[in-house]
Structures are given as C-alpha cells and as structure tokens.
Amino acid sequence: MSEPKDELLDHAYDGIREYDNPLPKWWLGIFYISIIFALIYIPYYLFLGGPSQEDEYAAEMAAAAASAPKVDAAGEDALEKIAADAGRVGEGKALFAVNCMPCHAADAGGLVGPNLTDDHWIHGGRLTDIARVISEGVPEKGMIAWKKQLSPAQIQSLTAFVRSLRGTKPAAPKPPEGEPFGG
Ligand code: HEC
C-alpha cells in the first residue's frame, strides 16, 4: 500500500498546524456497522422483550431434560428382557459391588439402605420403579441419584441385578421396609 499523502489543513492555532489524516476506510466501516448493530441489538433485548440469558438458559435446560433418555421409558417389558439377560445381570452385579455395596451391603441385605432381597419395597417393586429410584434417587433419605454418574444402560443392568436378588438369603437381612409387592 502506498502511504497516503498528508495534507496540511489551512488553519493554525498558536502556531500549531494540523494534518488531515482520514481514518482508514475499513476502520470506519467497522465503526458504522457497530453503530447499526447497537441500534438493533439494544432495543431488541432491552425494550422489545428479546430473551435474556436466563430465559435462554432455562429453555436449553428444559429441552435437554426433555430429550434425555429416561431409564424407565423403556417400559416394564423391555426391562423384563434385560433382567432375563445373564450378561446384563452380571454387569449389574459388578456395578453393585462398586457403587451400592457400602449402603445396601455386599449381599444386598441392607445397611443404611434397605434390604433389596425381600419382597417389600418402599418405592414399588416393578422394574420401572426400581430403575426410577436408582436413576432419580431419594436425596432426602440418602439414596443417590445415579443418573449423574451412570448411563441409562448401566442403571438398567443394575435393575436387572436387583431383580435377580429376590429370594436370595443375605447373611444379616434388614427387616422388610415398605409395602409387600406380589408381582
Ligand atoms: C449412600 C448410601 C446409598 C448408596 C451408595 C446406594 N443406596 Fe440405594 N438406597 C439408600 C437408602 C437410604 C434408600 C432408602 C430410601 C428411602 O427410604 O426412601 C435406598 C433405596 C434404594 C432402592 C429402593 C428400595 C425400596 O425399598 O424401594 C433401590 C432399588 C436402591 N436403593 C438401589 C441402589 C443401587 C442399585 C445402588 C448403587 C448404584 C444404590 N442403591 C446405592 C442408600 C444408598
């Protein structure tokens, strides 16, 4: 680029002369565009009800919650099939030994958490009930919401394993809690 030629303006103040150095075109372009942008942006978001950051955040969280796979959405029949799959039960057994044993005991006879081998359930004994409790937890009673740490498939495997515990004989079973479940 050739250097623009400086032109002296024809005035002087106390002997100080001034060059006419126009701002570069690209710079002026950005400047004017930013003014036009502000004229649209500020009225839209401040006065015309454009969504705030909080609104957009809430909308995105609601959309994510709605699209997240629900462990119990698979339904009783699908969970019944998983419960009949020895591989999935085995996967659930391994997950149980790592995550659940501290509160429910290694043989699921119950410690802080209830006995999972009897026919009594506080939150219902259907497979969808069990999957939901594992996923959502019962935070006020100390049962963790595992959906934050385990995938829906892992929670389904745990559900299958919990079902396989029914009728087993733990060493020191906690007395039954909740309602008897026939099914
Ligand atoms: C920090 C202790 C703790 C851990 C770890 C824990 N639980 Fe629990 N769990 C509880 C408590 C306490 C309850 C009883 C909640 C209530 O009284 O409503 C419970 C309830 C349950 C129930 C419902 C029982 C019923 O009678 O309805 C199931 C199923 C269950 N837990 C499975 C699991 C599985 C599977 C894991 C491992 C992924 C696990 N829990 C890990 C404390 C725990």
Side-chain angles (χ1 to χ4, degrees), residues 96 99-100 103-104 112-114 116 120-124 130 133-134 138 141-144 146 150 158 162 177:
F96 191 90
N99 298 293
C100 323
C103 293
H104 290 282
V112 178
L116 298 178
H120 285 64
W121 295 94
I122 304 169
H123 299 282
I130 295 169
V133 175
I134 300 171
V138 192
K141 295 285 180 58
M143 168 66 184
I144 297 161
W146 290 95
L150 302 175
L158 278 164
V162 169
E177 293 169 71

Side-chain angles (χ1 to χ4, degrees), residues 155-168:
I155 291 173
Q156 288 167 348
S157 297
L158 278 164
T159 306
F161 174 65
V162 169
R163 163 57 55 87
S164 78
L165 293 168
R166 177 183 282 174
T168 58

Side-chain angles (χ1 to χ4, degrees), residues 24-86:
K25 288 254 171 359
W26 63 263
W27 195 97
L28 282 172
I30 293 172
F31 179 61
Y32 291 132
I33 287 169
S34 67
I35 291 174
I36 294 165
F37 177 80
L39 285 175
I40 298 165
Y41 183 91
I42 293 176
Y44 178 65
Y45 283 105
L46 264 54
F47 309 120
L48 299 176
S52 69
Q53 284 180 337
E54 282 85 3
D55 296 341
E56 285 180 354
Y57 175 77
E60 276 178 33
M61 293 307 279
S67 67
K70 292 258 187 304
V71 277
D72 54 355
E76 198 68 20
D77 292 345
L79 287 171
E80 205 70 68
K81 284 204 188 74
I82 294 170
D85 178 338

